[in-house]
Amino acid sequence: MAEIRRLAEMHWPEVRAALDAGTTTVVCGAGSMEQHGPHLPFQTDTLLGTTLADAVGARLDNVIVGPTIPFGVSEHHMAFPGTITLDKETFKAVVRQYVASLARHGFTNVVVLPSHGGNFGPLGELESETGGKIGGARYLPFTDLMSFIAVMNDAAAQDGITPQVAGAHAGETETSMVLAARPELVLMDVAEEGFVGDFDEEAAKLIFSQGMTALTRNGILGDARPADAERGQRYIDGLADMLAEFIRERIPA
């Protein structure tokens, strides 16, 4: 594994030296600050974005891990007090300025890895609107939500966890990953079952048009009770392997 270099922990002469030495790629997460059931913290997606970006940074040579964008597009969670949302255009503007700032310093590739489902679409829209270029840097978001989910579902199936239990939000998969990353933040004594039907296109449309409470009273899609830290680490490793390969295929070492 490579050394993880986190921009937020570096000093400007170190960044200058890294650029001069040919490190011109930044990888960052794009999370959210939204409810995750009664058992997971609001920072879940941002925490997991940082965890995944670090894990990807450890798998790639010659990259810097940027700070995770902590707010996302979360309007559909606003029925739950404490959720903070950006509208889509504001979120895209934040990402644009993030990339443009790094481009001004000489970074030539900025990879954005969403860890919140509501961010995948806007990140893809921004790529289409900009042609994948912002301020002279290549803007490369990961936008394949189905592949992201499939990695976790495949790993879950090995332990007999169905997609309905694994869940799309605050279910077994996300709970397991937070147990692996920050177990002290998980309240397993109040973990419970939420919506465990098929999360198909119609269910997704319902949530985005009417909010999460159209499907779930407790903010969970899936069942958090079978969560396990060891399985959560397998989810993190599988996602990091897939995301690192995505970057290798598109940015020469």
Side-chain angles (χ1 to χ4, degrees):
M1 292 290 183
E3 175 190 3
I4 301 171
R5 290 182 288 176
R6 300 180 182 92
L7 179 65
E9 298 174 0
M10 297 172 73
H11 310 85
W12 77 258
E14 294 173 311
V15 177
R16 179 74 271 158
L19 282 163
D20 291 344
T23 298
T24 59
T25 297
V26 172
V27 177
C28 72
S32 70
M33 203 62 59
E34 65 186 28
Q35 71 82 25
H36 274 77
H39 63 295
L40 290 179
F42 283 92
Q43 66 164 313
T44 291
D45 287 340
T46 297
L47 167 64
L48 294 179
T50 299
T51 300
L52 286 173
D54 278 353
V56 170
R59 286 162 168 77
L60 299 173
D61 294 320
N62 218 25
V63 303
I64 289 175
V65 177
T68 298
I69 298 168
F71 303 112
V73 181
S74 303
E75 180 62 36
H76 49 299
H77 293 276
M78 286 298 287
F80 297 88
T83 295
I84 297 170
T85 190
L86 301 181
D87 63 45
K88 185 171 65 171
E89 293 308 315
T90 300
F91 174 72
K92 289 193 293 184
V94 169
V95 176
R96 185 190 290 266
Q97 290 299 309
Y98 188 125
V99 178
S101 294
L102 293 171
R104 286 177 60 181
H105 301 307
F107 289 100
T108 57
N109 301 289
V110 181
V111 184
V112 183
L113 307 175
S115 50
H116 163 55
N119 293 346
F120 281 77
L123 289 172
E125 289 180 15
L126 183 60
E127 185 178 29
S128 296
E129 292 163 7
T130 62
K133 278 284 189 181
I134 297 175
R138 183 179 184 186
Y139 159 61
L140 180 61
F142 183 81
T143 59
D144 190 347
L145 177 58
M146 292 302 102
S147 291
F148 195 93
I149 293 172
V151 167
M152 293 183 288
N153 283 346
D154 288 347
Q158 296 173 21
D159 287 357
I161 303 292
T162 66
Q164 291 80 11
V165 168
H169 182 81
E172 185 277 330
T173 51
E174 282 195 318
T175 305
S176 292
M177 286 192 286
V178 180
L179 279 173
R182 291 285 303 277
E184 74 278 10
L185 296 178
V186 184
L187 305 178
M188 284 304 295
D189 58 329
V190 294
E192 56 187 357
E193 179 184 87
F195 173 78
V196 289
D198 291 332
F199 189 70
D200 53 19
E201 187 174 338
E202 286 305 310
K205 285 181 179 178
L206 187 63
I207 279 178
F208 285 114
S209 64
Q210 299 183 30
M212 286 284 286
T213 53
L215 282 184
T216 169
R217 63 167 181 81
N218 60 11
I220 300 172
L221 302 176
D223 188 343
R225 294 172 298 176
D228 174 79
E230 183 179 344
R231 191 183 307 116
Q233 189 59 53
R234 295 206 304 270
Y235 296 150
I236 291 167
D237 288 339
L239 286 168
D241 288 342
M242 182 264 289
L243 294 168
E245 187 59 29
F246 166 82
I247 295 169
R248 287 192 195 99
E249 290 174 353
R250 290 159 179 80
I251 300 175

